[in-house]
Amino acid sequence: MSAQYHITNTIKTLRFFANEMTQQELAAKVGVTRQTIMAIEKGKYSPSLEVAFKIALVFGRPFDEVFAYEKITK
């Protein structure tokens, strides 16, 4: 049986430390909807690579400080 993985992110924390940036503000900078940002933050939607890199660029952080691919532990 193969291991299960999921994508995690630190977007909510990064928004807080970026002068409490709203989901709408981030969405406008990235070129997606607020609903998309909300779904990504909650782990319900995996962004395209382009959107993921754009999010990292908005915060001036390396990609791996924003997103991680982690093993699901049971």
Side-chain angles (χ1 to χ4, degrees):
M1 187 177 276
S2 64
Q4 297 276 326
Y5 290 85
H6 67 272
I7 295 173
T8 61
N9 68 75
T10 58
I11 296 170
K12 189 171 184 175
T13 301
L14 291 168
R15 284 193 308 101
F16 178 80
F17 287 110
N19 296 316
E20 297 186 21
M21 179 188 295
T22 66
Q23 290 176 335
Q24 183 61 51
E25 290 169 328
L26 178 57
K29 290 175 185 276
V30 175
V32 298
T33 65
R34 182 192 63 80
Q35 290 84 356
T36 298
I37 296 298
M38 182 177 59
I40 293 168
E41 278 188 10
K42 291 184 175 188
K44 302 211 180 282
Y45 176 74
S46 296
S48 68
L49 276 174
E50 183 177 8
V51 169
F53 276 108
K54 284 181 179 180
I55 291 169
L57 286 171
V58 166
F59 295 113
R61 301 292 182 132
F63 182 84
D64 63 349
E65 283 186 19
V66 182
F67 294 95
Y69 193 55
E70 298 181 346
K71 188 174 183 178
I72 297 173
T73 56
K74 294 185 178 188

